[in-house]
């Protein structure tokens, strides 16, 4: 069975690291459908290294009409995804709730949650027919236990993803489809560009391992949940936290 991976937020540090892992030594009929938004230049090296196995799409996930057009293009021009990995998120804005930015929160929900719902509705029927599928989201350790202060918008959006995962997991398990999350602790990527250095340093110092996570720490857990071997694991949120959040 040839695998087709649909990855949204593929231009992120995590997305590119995951693509490298998925395509390295993969059969030549393995295909990655990679979505980015205005930043597809980041995929140039991967496209060069894996010609014919990586197709890129520039899509604004905050626009519902563009998301719907995207899934129509995929249905017409690409094999049905066997795997769907949803990674997009806006950088965390650390701000007190009294300064809550409703417009930014609505944008977060569109990109992280509403686009995921629309794409899942498009790709899950083919997985049902195939009696196989893997769906994976990225959440956050902030949803495990007590979250840090001043992250209400981020925590609410990620909590919505957690609810979607549990609901889809129980509904689609009988069709051989698994739906899971990874929940990293603070990960040092471009995603932290708006986070003050003192907060990043404090998180590293507070982690039992004395550092923050990296994509290289998180991607192996993602790859496992996407694998054939993880076929009896569904509805879980797997912490990848160096011990800073334990369930």
């Amino acid at each position: 069975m040839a695998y087709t991976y649909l990855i949204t937020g593929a231009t992120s540090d995590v997305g590119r690291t995951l693509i490298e892992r998925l395509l390295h030594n993969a059969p030549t009929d393995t295909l990655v459908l990679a979505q980015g938004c205005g930043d597809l230049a980041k995929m140039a090296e991967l496209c060069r290294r894996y010609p014919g196995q990586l197709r890129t799409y520039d899509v604004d996930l905050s626009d519902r009409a563009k998301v719907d057009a995207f899934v129509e293009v995929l249905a017409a021009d690409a094999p049905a995804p066997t795997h769907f990995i949803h990674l997009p998120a806006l950088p965390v804005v650390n701000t007190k709730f009294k300064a809550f930015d409703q417009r930014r929160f609505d944008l977060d929900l569109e990109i992280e949650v509403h686009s995921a719902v629309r794409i899942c509705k498009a790709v899950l029927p083919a997985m049902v027919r195939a009696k196989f599928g893997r769906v994976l989201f990225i959440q956050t350790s902030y949803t495990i236990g007590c979250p840090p202060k001043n992250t209400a918008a981020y925590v609410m959006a990620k909590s919505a993803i957690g609810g979607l995962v549990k609901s889809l997991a129980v509904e689609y398990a009988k069709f051989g489809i698994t739906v899971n999350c990874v929940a990293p602790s603070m990960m040092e990527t471009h995603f932290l560009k708006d986070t003050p250095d003192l907060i990043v340093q404090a998180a590293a110092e507070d982690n039992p391992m004395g550092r923050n996570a990296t994509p290289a720490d998180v991607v192996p857990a993602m790859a496992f949940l996407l694998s054939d071997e993880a076929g009896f694991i569904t509805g879980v949120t797997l912490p990848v936290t160096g011990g800073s959040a334990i369930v």
Side-chain angles (χ1 to χ4, degrees):
M1 180 181 183
Y3 285 161
T4 298
Y5 297 86
L6 170 57
I7 306 178
T8 45
T11 52
S12 64
D13 295 324
V14 172
R16 299 196 312 275
T17 304
L18 177 62
I19 290 170
E20 170 64 30
R21 185 176 180 107
L22 293 175
L23 290 181
H24 184 65
N25 291 332
T28 56
D29 58 358
T30 302
L31 178 63
V32 172
L33 311 172
Q35 176 272 339
C37 184
D39 56 357
L40 292 185
K42 294 179 179 179
M43 306 296 291
E45 176 61 19
L46 286 169
C47 289
R48 184 191 65 79
R49 291 171 58 191
Y50 300 103
Q53 291 185 276
L54 181 57
R55 300 182 192 175
T56 59
Y57 301 84
D58 196 334
V59 184
D60 181 358
L61 297 182
S62 70
D63 186 320
R64 296 187 185 189
K66 291 179 179 178
V67 173
D68 290 342
F70 175 46
V71 298
E72 289 176 4
V73 168
L74 292 179
D77 297 339
T82 54
H83 299 67
F84 171 43
I85 303 99
H86 189 65
L87 306 176
L90 295 175
V92 178
V93 176
N94 291 271
T95 184
K96 294 181 182 298
F97 187 72
K98 65 182 181 181
F100 189 83
D101 186 337
Q102 185 68 48
R103 291 181 63 186
R104 170 59 186 265
F105 177 58
D106 292 342
L107 188 61
D108 276 334
L109 286 181
E110 287 294 339
I111 292 172
E112 294 195 50
V113 182
H114 293 300
S115 71
V117 171
R118 299 174 95 80
I119 295 171
C120 281
K121 289 181 71 174
V123 303
L124 283 170
M127 293 182 183
V128 169
R129 291 191 294 271
K131 298 294 190 292
F132 174 85
R134 298 283 183 270
V135 180
L136 183 66
F137 295 88
I138 192 163
Q139 208 176 14
T140 172
S141 64
Y142 291 2
T143 60
I144 302 170
C146 181
K149 297 177 181 178
N150 307 329
T151 57
Y154 183 66
V155 171
M156 283 191 287
K158 289 299 188 183
S159 295
I161 288 292
L164 176 62
V165 166
K166 291 178 181 179
S167 299
L168 293 179
V170 297
E171 186 168 345
Y172 285 92
K174 64 183 178 182
F175 300 109
I177 300 168
T178 67
V179 187
N180 294 297
C181 269
V182 291
S185 56
M186 184 174 285
M187 188 167 24
E188 295 198 2
T189 68
H190 181 69
F191 185 72
L192 296 181
K193 67 184 181 66
D194 296 327
T195 301
D197 289 343
L198 286 176
I199 293 177
V200 177
Q201 294 169 10
E205 292 168 0
D206 288 343
N207 189 288
M209 291 195 178
R211 64 176 179 87
N212 291 317
T214 68
D217 296 315
V218 178
V219 162
M222 299 171 69
F224 170 67
L225 291 173
L226 293 168
S227 70
D228 293 347
E229 289 83 357
F232 204 65
I233 301 173
T234 194
V236 305
T237 295
L238 176 61
V240 186
T241 67
S244 63
I246 298 174
V247 296

